[in-house]
Amino acid sequence: MGNGFVVVFGKTKPCAAWETPLVLAHDATRAALLRRGFLLEYVTLGWNVIGIAVLAVAAVSARSVALAGFGLDSLIEIGASIVVVWELSGTGKARRRRALRLIGVGFAALALYLLMQSTWVVATAFHPCSSPLGIGWTAITAAVMFALAFGKSRTGAALDNPVLTAEGRVTLIDGLLAAAVLLGLLLNTALGWWWADPAAGYVLVYYAIREVKEIFSGH
């Protein structure tokens, strides 16, 4: 076997003849995973583009800071998805590091936005109006984002791609934020508990800051 041959049943065959099916199967599997990764990102992009328009209408009609802020979060998620599509289209550790850092910047922007919005709502004791459109959209968005985050996590792990995995956590935060906004809207509508939304926002600030530290520390 030192010359690249194996002996099977008294016959000598090149190792490549045995390795090629395995290599082809590996390449086919990786190509399928890449297609799945692209599909997950394109679905995320499309959903958030539509979401910005829906949230703008809902925020204006209800005078809701939470819904307006969630629209900004959708912009951050769009940016993160574009970064991942860019990274999946190329290779190399340098490109991957740049992509991860860009996602880290997105997390930092999200943490800053949540901190400012939650503090402003608490300081002003702002009471938004009820928003059936906002409640419906955030409920559906939470379910969609959790499903997309799960898919990105599994696909990123299978590809050994930390960029896709990290962006999956951005999507998870988007789903958690949708659930927090939904809870705030429901509690404000049913019980008048206007402070529920900013309280959940502070929890998400901690989570986003932790992700920024992990990304920029190289973990």
Side-chain angles (χ1 to χ4, degrees), residues 55 64 71 116 140 155-156 165 168 207-208:
L55 289 167
S64 171
M116 293 178 62
I140 298 173
T155 305
T165 303
Y207 185 88

Side-chain angles (χ1 to χ4, degrees), residues 47-64:
W47 187 271
N48 282 293
V49 168
I50 296 172
I52 289 175
V54 174
L55 289 167
V57 173
V60 171
S61 62
R63 295 179 296 171
S64 171

Side-chain angles (χ1 to χ4, degrees), residues 16-60:
W18 296 88
E19 294 172 352
T20 298
L22 294 176
V23 172
L24 291 176
H26 177 270
D27 290 345
T29 300
R30 183 171 180 80
L33 288 171
L34 281 173
R35 287 194 297 271
R36 186 194 302 172
F38 279 115
L39 177 61
L40 289 168
E41 294 305 328
Y42 290 141
V43 171
T44 304
L45 278 169
W47 187 271
N48 282 293
V49 168
I50 296 172
I52 289 175
V54 174
L55 289 167
V57 173
V60 171

Side-chain angles (χ1 to χ4, degrees), residues 2-153:
N3 294 322
F5 289 81
V6 293
V7 178
V8 181
F9 300 115
K11 297 181 180 180
T12 302
K13 291 187 177 183
C15 288
W18 296 88
E19 294 172 352
T20 298
L22 294 176
V23 172
L24 291 176
H26 177 270
D27 290 345
T29 300
R30 183 171 180 80
L33 288 171
L34 281 173
R35 287 194 297 271
R36 186 194 302 172
F38 279 115
L39 177 61
L40 289 168
E41 294 305 328
Y42 290 141
V43 171
T44 304
L45 278 169
W47 187 271
N48 282 293
V49 168
I50 296 172
I52 289 175
V54 174
L55 289 167
V57 173
V60 171
S61 62
R63 295 179 296 171
S64 171
V65 175
L67 287 172
F70 190 49
L72 177 58
D73 171 72
S74 296
L75 281 175
I76 295 173
E77 176 69 12
I78 287 173
S81 294
I82 292 173
V83 167
V84 175
V85 170
W86 169 70
E87 196 278 334
L88 289 176
S89 302
T91 56
K93 291 184 178 180
R95 184 171 185 146
R96 180 166 292 183
R97 281 196 299 270
R98 287 196 299 270
L100 279 171
R101 289 183 180 277
L102 286 172
I103 292 177
V105 171
F107 267 118
L110 180 57
L112 180 61
Y113 142 68
L114 288 171
L115 180 62
M116 293 178 62
Q117 173 188 300
S118 299
T119 301
W120 187 87
V121 171
V122 170
T124 60
F126 185 82
H127 291 63
C129 301
S130 178
S131 175
L133 175 60
I135 290 173
W137 181 258
T138 51
I140 298 173
T141 297
V144 171
M145 291 300 113
F146 289 146
L148 288 172
F150 177 75
K152 291 176 185 181
S153 177

